[in-house]
Amino acid sequence: MAITPWRATCIQIDSKVASNAATKAETWAIIDTNMAVAIAKIQEACNGLNPPKLVVLPEFAFQGPPRATPVSEWIERACAAIPGPITETLADVARKFNIYIAGNHFEVDPKWPDRYFNSSFLLDPKGEVILRYRRINTASWTSPHDILEEYREVYGEDGIFPVADTELGRMAIFPCGEVASPELSRVFMLRGAEILLHPSNEPANARADAAKICRAAENMCYLISTNISGSIGFSDTERGGHSQIVDFNGNHIAFEKSDLESIDCSAIIDVDALQKARRDTNMGNALLRTRFEMYRQYYAEADIYPANQLGAKAFETYAELTPLHERAIANAEKAGILR
């Protein structure tokens, strides 16, 4: 069935960092303030002349990053379930405007109450959570890879690399620096994704912009990337901005140059054109020329960051991860990557 072209909008907003708060009440006062800012901008976009069918919010838009806050304190003060209080508030907005809302927040799962995840989500126009992806490539907080055996038992592959089939096309979501891990976007494409949603919180620079162009072009996907405005969560001086929408040929079809709050990064997504391009047999279709089997042996033998290392015990502070990082370096040396 044909998919009518539709509009996506990046909601580039400031975010106050909740880790500066001393109590849970103060923390949630900051979260509620950030949510109010996000909702006001979504409403502004939806009340405009060209309302979107989907909006994407930045990474850490509501809580900010934990910075040096110990894990147990961050869980107690700031984390929420999905579905939970943050997504339920956004669900009301999704229903009101009949839109999809993509976002990100730190999540706690009752199955692992002593850990939190950097989780990205997508709500449909009914307010239902139809995507939840927990960041895999991280050295700062628990990844599904750190508890892979038990995680896979609970959620399966669909819970590790989820793709949602929607009326707007097939969508996947991942946050921030994972755009620099090409395998992740590749797997999402191989699982059928046509649109990559990318909540981000990073300094705007050429490296980040280039990664976004590459992930879209090499996978023939649209990429909708929303960055934070103002200062990024991990720094009081480095600036965000550069929200962007990239088409399946790697062209910017919307780009916000400033680091100010903005809803101007908005563009039409044409999934039927993408599918036509994926079926083309000329040289412009890189997917049909890619010989995936040539690379399987190398990936099968690659073993750098060890899996299941946090299965027995969660960590409390970043310093406790040092032995894992050292093992990863040693494995890279053994593989001949480092010398």
Side-chain angles (χ1 to χ4, degrees):
M1 183 178 295
I3 297 176
T4 302
W6 51 272
R7 179 171 296 279
T9 297
C10 297
I11 308 295
Q12 182 170 295
I13 50 172
D14 290 348
S15 172
K16 297 183 184 299
V17 178
S19 60
N20 296 331
T23 66
K24 184 173 183 177
E26 292 175 3
T27 298
W28 276 89
I30 293 171
I31 293 171
D32 289 342
T33 297
N34 288 334
M35 290 195 67
V37 171
I39 291 169
K41 282 297 182 183
I42 294 172
Q43 291 176 334
E44 182 182 345
C46 291
N47 288 330
L49 295 177
N50 297 299
K53 289 295 294 179
L54 175 144
V55 299
V56 180
L57 296 161
E59 185 191 39
F60 309 153
F62 308 116
Q63 301 139 318
R67 293 188 174 178
T69 306
V71 169
S72 60
E73 291 182 26
W74 189 243
I75 290 172
E76 193 280 328
R77 293 209 318 253
C79 294
I82 297 176
I86 293 175
T87 57
E88 287 304 310
T89 300
L90 292 172
D92 291 337
V93 182
R95 287 188 287 265
K96 178 179 178 180
F97 292 105
N98 193 36
I99 59 170
Y100 290 80
I101 299 177
N104 169 281
H105 75 67
F106 287 100
E107 178 199 11
V108 64
D109 187 327
K111 297 178 180 64
W112 296 282
D114 54 351
R115 312 167 189 271
Y116 62 78
F117 298 93
N118 179 349
S119 297
S120 300
F121 58 85
L122 177 64
L123 305 177
D124 69 10
K126 296 179 182 178
E128 299 293 327
V129 177
I130 60 170
L131 267 184
R132 179 186 62 190
Y133 167 77
R134 290 164 171 167
R135 182 167 177 163
I136 293 172
N137 301 284
T138 176
S140 300
W141 33 72
T142 298
S143 160
H145 181 251
D146 293 321
I147 50 174
L148 186 57
E149 289 184 8
E150 55 184 300
Y151 196 91
R152 189 172 271 144
E153 283 183 10
V154 174
Y155 290 111
E157 289 302 307
D158 286 342
I160 297 174
F161 298 106
V163 174
D165 193 354
T166 79
E167 63 183 317
L168 304 183
R170 295 192 294 269
M171 301 188 192
I173 189 169
F174 58 88
C176 201
E178 285 200 298
V179 76
S181 299
E183 296 82 3
L184 180 62
S185 298
R186 202 64 150 175
V187 168
F188 281 136
M189 179 276 294
L190 291 171
R191 289 178 63 84
E194 298 158 322
I195 303 130
L196 302 175
L197 310 176
H198 183 235
S200 194
N201 191 308
E202 61 187 330
N205 55 44
R207 177 182 176 182
D209 292 344
K212 294 164 191 176
I213 293 170
C214 289
R215 299 299 85 82
E218 69 200 8
N219 294 298
M220 298 186 76
C221 290
Y222 283 98
L223 185 139
I224 305 167
S225 176
T226 303
N227 199 16
I228 205 77
S229 59
S231 59
I232 65 169
F234 288 107
S235 170
D236 294 325
T237 57
E238 291 187 284
R239 309 292 290 182
H242 282 204
S243 293
Q244 55 198 272
I245 301 176
V246 187
D247 73 8
F248 52 88
N249 289 314
N251 299 309
H252 282 119
I253 53 176
F255 192 99
E256 175 54 61
K257 294 181 180 180
S258 80
D259 62 4
L260 304 176
E261 289 191 338
S262 173
I263 57 170
D264 292 339
C265 183
S266 185
I268 297 297
I269 307 300
D270 189 344
V271 173
D272 282 0
L274 177 154
Q275 281 295 330
K276 182 179 179 181
R278 284 183 175 184
R279 290 177 177 275
D280 186 69
T281 56
N282 293 312
M283 292 184 64
N285 188 346
L287 291 186
L288 291 188
R289 298 201 315 274
T290 301
R291 315 302 174 94
F292 292 101
E293 67 274 11
M294 296 296 291
Y295 314 114
R296 287 175 186 156
Q297 174 186 344
Y298 296 94
Y299 278 105
E301 295 174 355
D303 185 10
I304 307 300
Y305 200 99
N308 295 305
Q309 294 303 298
L310 298 179
K313 181 180 181 296
F315 71 97
E316 180 69 5
T317 63
Y318 183 77
E320 295 173 49
L321 297 176
T322 298
L324 294 183
H325 302 163
E326 291 175 345
R327 282 189 61 185
I329 290 173
N331 287 340
E333 291 174 341
K334 183 179 179 180
I337 298 169
L338 300 178
R339 60 188 176 116

